[in-house]
Amino acid sequence: MRRFMRPGPASRPSPERPRTPGRPGNLPAELNRFIGRDDELAMLVRQLESARLVTLTGLGGVGTSRLARQGAAILQDRFCDGVWLVELDSLREPHLLDHAVAEALALADHSGRPVRAALCDHLAERELLLVLDGYEHLVGACADLTAELLRRAPALRVLAAGRRPLGIPGESVRPLLPMNAADATALFADRAASVVSGFAVEPSNEAAVTELCDRLDGIPLALELAAGRLRALSVDQVLHRLDDRFRLLTGNARGTPARHQTLRTAIGWSHELCTPEERLLWARLSVFAGQFDLEAAEYVCSGPELPADELLDVITELVAQSVLMRVETAAGVRYRMLDTVRAYGAGWLAATHDGDRLRRRHRDWYLGLATWCELDWFSSRQAEIAARIEAELPNLRVALEQSLESAGDTHLGQYLAGTLWFYWVGCGRLSEGRHWLDRALELESDHDDARLKALWVAGYVAVLQGDTVGALGALQECREEAERTGNATAAAYALHRTGCLALVCDDMPRAEELLRGALIRYREIGELNSNVLMGQVELAMAVAFQGQLADAVRLCEDVLEVCEDHGERWTLAYAQFVLAFAAWSRGDGGRARALLEECLAIDHTFHDLLGAVLAIELLALVTLGEGDAEEAAVLQGAAGRIWPSVGLPLFGSRYYNQPHALCEEQARERLGAERYERCLRAGGRLDLDTTVARILRPAGQVPAQRRTVRITPPPTNEPAASPSVSGGETAG
């Protein structure tokens, strides 16, 4: 018997190639081109080399049937007894399964034996590939038959395509995800060209086509149905009507299975195959946006009909049926629904009249999550917290919307927007944080504490963005109201952030006074967290700018000690920045570089744009001192590209701008204006990841030996280089 072999690249047939003449089998030729899925096809071929049963699973319309047939077409020359397709979509009675397979195999047996016995005898000595398509409504019967056939026919291989695994020993499961962006666009363009002569993706419609493919989740069926609508609509018109996607995406192509003629029917077929508990959970899970974890689902979706301790089993079934996708993330195992699947579930949730209650539970869960993450930010789990909030951001946005749009819940929105301060400023989300804070503060609330928190956080974000007027207004209101209501915590934070504002506005004596006052208040109320430590870093900056470098170093070394005790990394980076400035000011460029590189690595981990760009600015000056004026200019160009994403470059401060100006002046003098500008433009083409990789060279990739060229800094009581005090907690 011939050994099954991997087809070489040259053996792959064209998608339109009919069955090989003379070769047994019933695989039909396709009527249109197969687009994309190269990686999935290659994986399918490899799996069929090592496993006798390979199962492609996926949601209705995602393309399991088409991929299975395409893979079978590629492999048909490798089976001397051919490739045989069994289409089970229309079969409703499990007891007829054996007959359907026999019919597909053109097996005529008139002996009176049971059909299964005849099938086993027929396949026992044959080398063929059996393709079972659309078996999910007969999964039990199909699993029993497949297991027996594989036991009785050693040269048989089975490729199954359906919405869930068969669940038998030896099965190799390959979940099929939606198409990637490039393949989805290519598929849409190909099908659109078949209905609109001359259609092509070009600059005038590229953005609309990309958005359309994205909103349709890369589901091939949805893309083909949308392309069919171009007979009467433009791409923009189709896109604008997607809110009612199930009505829009219908078709009547002859020869297409009825359950694939509309998107609603395709997904509804999956819904019909679910148990009542699975349907109910599907509907309830539609309140989530993006990904979610098991704990969130248990809290939000459980109830008398769905006990929390049974929810895992129901989720497991929804994953098996491709309604949910299991996702491995930095925040752990999570689940997600395609938007189209979520929209279908939302329709059923609306019919239960239970949507408001579920949305409130969803909001409450994410309020609790944000509260816990804020507390845990001051710990060794900062990176984990950052990853968790990043993963939960779509759900947090929904919770914010729910709170701000619900009468009587405004204070919850204010509290949530304020509680996420560590994410807005620590993970590069200043603009979005300002958006939510401004929205929350436009609304009235009877809960003073929630509003006061939103006010000082709004002032903090405004300081970082260089919005002096906005910061001053929010912080003054917060201080006045906090004093009036006796909220000592809000008063301390408002005083602290007002000190930051003085710092970036170059009023160093006032900044020192306010920051020292805030630190005293923090001690009085027993407050210790990243904000408090950042206040000390900012105070160090203020005294450094006034020429007191030794005091600045002592303050930051104290911060480093507390950070190490608690595992805090984010504030640690800003303390290192101040220490690097002090080292550079004393002529120790090597020490300054080591501190700045560690600082930059931490900032990049948290996507802290402000901390990163401040480190890059000072590294440019250190690099110039090492004699590499070209690289210094490149780094200045890279920093210039980042600043617009942060706010006002160098806060508009003469103190913060001095190192930049000094570096520019001396680099321009050494290189000449034309060469300096060329290097600056080269740096402006680097994104942050590339810039960081350029600076943090892996061990062993050491540049030419650095030589120190002394650059005399201005007197330290004049504007000088420097860390972000405001970049501290002010940092983001």
Side-chain angles (χ1 to χ4, degrees), residues 659-672:
H660 176 92
L662 179 63
C663 184
E664 178 180 350
E665 177 188 355
Q666 297 199 17
R668 188 182 291 272
E669 181 180 334
R670 294 183 197 179
L671 298 173

Side-chain angles (χ1 to χ4, degrees), residues 539-555:
L539 175 61
M541 189 80 271
V543 300
F545 280 148
Q546 296 177 82
Q548 304 165 36
L549 286 178
D551 288 344
V553 169
R554 280 194 295 271
L555 286 165

Side-chain angles (χ1 to χ4, degrees), residues 307-319:
D309 58 359
E310 297 179 11
L311 217 64
L312 175 58
D313 292 336
V314 184
I315 284 179
T316 301
E317 283 301 306
L318 290 178
V319 171

Side-chain angles (χ1 to χ4, degrees), residues 109 113 115-126 149 152:
D109 184 272
R113 294 180 300 167
V115 177
R116 182 163 302 190
L119 280 172
C120 291
D121 288 347
H122 176 76
L123 296 173
E125 298 299 326
R126 285 178 166 78
L149 293 179
R152 300 281 294 275

